[in-house]
């Protein structure tokens, strides 16, 4: 099975301007396809911006809303899969969500953030209740989380036990927590034997300062590609053969003793 060439779009786009952010996504998709990419991953709440405060209800859309259709058209036109973050409206509730669109424009998976960070998120969003959401792309089993979710090791281990090969983590990682991008994410990839694509916003936005440092970490704990602090499109490869060999050499999942861990839950 050939490697899955993956692009990480590190960008904050234009907060509050959905149409402009769709244009940014379209341009990134064009550049990614020119580089042989099959999967493009965008940051948390990319379509609307993160620090939008009371505009969350106004900008929230259903999972099959007009922005979803616009992203589907981009994915199908360029022939690559796209994961994007957005505020999802479902009845009276709003979720911090991320949706994966396939290279044919079909909706493959929709995930709702389960661990909400800080007063802003807890005020405007309802936490999701489904910890493991997966889809298949080119033979790779893809899982989805959002930002703070990956900082809980139990969360990532749940994906490992469900067979996730590549965990996509759109994020809005802010100062002074850059150690998550630098240290925690590669460790998560190693201890649960998977690839982790951690894709951040960048620069000042409202009261926040996003730190960039998006990365694709491998199951050996090494970073395959890393962005700096500014707007950037970085590309790396998810190699199923290397993943299989790494899992054989590092048998964490087989050597677990679940009977000893009951007190954790």
């Amino acid at each position: 099975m050939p490697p899955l060439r993956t692009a990480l779009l590190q960008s904050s786009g234009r907060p509050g301007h959905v149409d402009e952010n769709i244009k940014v996504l379209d341009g990134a998709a064009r550049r990614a396809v020119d580089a042989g990419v099959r999967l493009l991953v965008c940051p948390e709440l990319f379509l609307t911006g993160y620090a939008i405060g009371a505009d969350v209800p106004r900008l929230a859309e259903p999972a099959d809303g007009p922005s979803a259709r616009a992203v589907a058209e981009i994915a199908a036109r360029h022939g690559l899969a796209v994961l994007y973050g957005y505020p999802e409206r479902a009845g009276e509730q709003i979720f911090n969500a991320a949706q994966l669109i396939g290279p044919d424009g079909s909706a493959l998976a929709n995930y709702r953030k389960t661990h909400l960070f800080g007063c802003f998120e807890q005020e405007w969003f309802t936490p999701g209740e489904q910890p493991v959401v997966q889809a298949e792309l080119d033979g790779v089993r893809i899982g989805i989380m959002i930002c703070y979710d990956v900082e809980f090791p139990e969360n990532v281990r749940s994906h490992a036990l469900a067979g996730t090969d590549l965990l996509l983590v759109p994020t809005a990682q802010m100062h002074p927590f850059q150690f998550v991008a630098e240290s925690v994410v590669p460790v998560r990839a190693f201890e649960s034997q998977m690839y982790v694509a951690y894709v951040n916003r960048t620069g000042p936005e409202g009261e926040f300062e996003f730190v960039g440092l998006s990365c694709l970490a491998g199951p050996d704990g090494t970073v395959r590609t890393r962005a700096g602090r500014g707007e950037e499109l970085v590309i790396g490869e998810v190699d199923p053969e290397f993943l299989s060999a790494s899992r054989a050499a590092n048998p964490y999942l087989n050597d677990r003793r679940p009977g000893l861990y009951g007190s954790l839950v």
Side-chain angles (χ1 to χ4, degrees), residues 123-145:
E123 178 179 2
W124 293 108
F125 297 108
T126 299
E129 296 295 334
Q130 188 174 354
V132 177
V133 171
Q134 297 172 310
E136 298 282 331
L137 178 65
D138 294 354
V140 174
R141 185 171 295 182
I142 292 174
I144 307 169
M145 283 185 182

Side-chain angles (χ1 to χ4, degrees), residues 240-259:
E241 291 187 6
F242 182 85
L243 177 59
S244 179
S246 181
R247 286 172 171 170
N250 299 284
Y252 281 141
L253 301 185
N254 290 333
D255 290 348
R256 294 168 62 253
R257 297 180 61 192

Side-chain angles (χ1 to χ4, degrees), residues 34-157:
D34 288 345
V37 165
R38 282 286 287 170
L39 170 63
L40 172 64
V41 187
C42 302
E44 181 175 5
L45 293 176
F46 178 73
L47 283 189
T48 59
Y50 184 89
I52 56 174
D55 277 342
V56 169
R58 179 177 68 84
L59 295 176
E61 296 184 19
D64 60 353
S67 293
R69 294 192 292 272
V71 175
E73 189 278 328
I74 290 170
R77 176 159 42 85
H78 293 292
L80 85 170
V82 176
L83 180 90
Y84 67 98
Y86 72 110
E88 179 196 355
R89 179 177 293 283
E92 296 300 312
Q93 296 179 314
I94 300 175
F95 299 91
N96 184 339
Q99 183 155 216
L100 179 63
I101 303 295
D104 61 353
S106 62
L108 299 182
N110 189 68
Y111 172 77
R112 296 166 172 174
K113 189 174 186 177
T114 54
H115 297 75
L116 300 179
F117 178 81
C119 296
F120 163 68
E121 292 188 19
Q122 292 169 13
E123 178 179 2
W124 293 108
F125 297 108
T126 299
E129 296 295 334
Q130 188 174 354
V132 177
V133 171
Q134 297 172 310
E136 298 282 331
L137 178 65
D138 294 354
V140 174
R141 185 171 295 182
I142 292 174
I144 307 169
M145 283 185 182
I146 299 175
C147 197
Y148 194 39
D149 291 330
V150 80
E151 298 177 38
F152 294 81
E154 305 92 334
N155 239 16
V156 182
R157 182 54 55 86

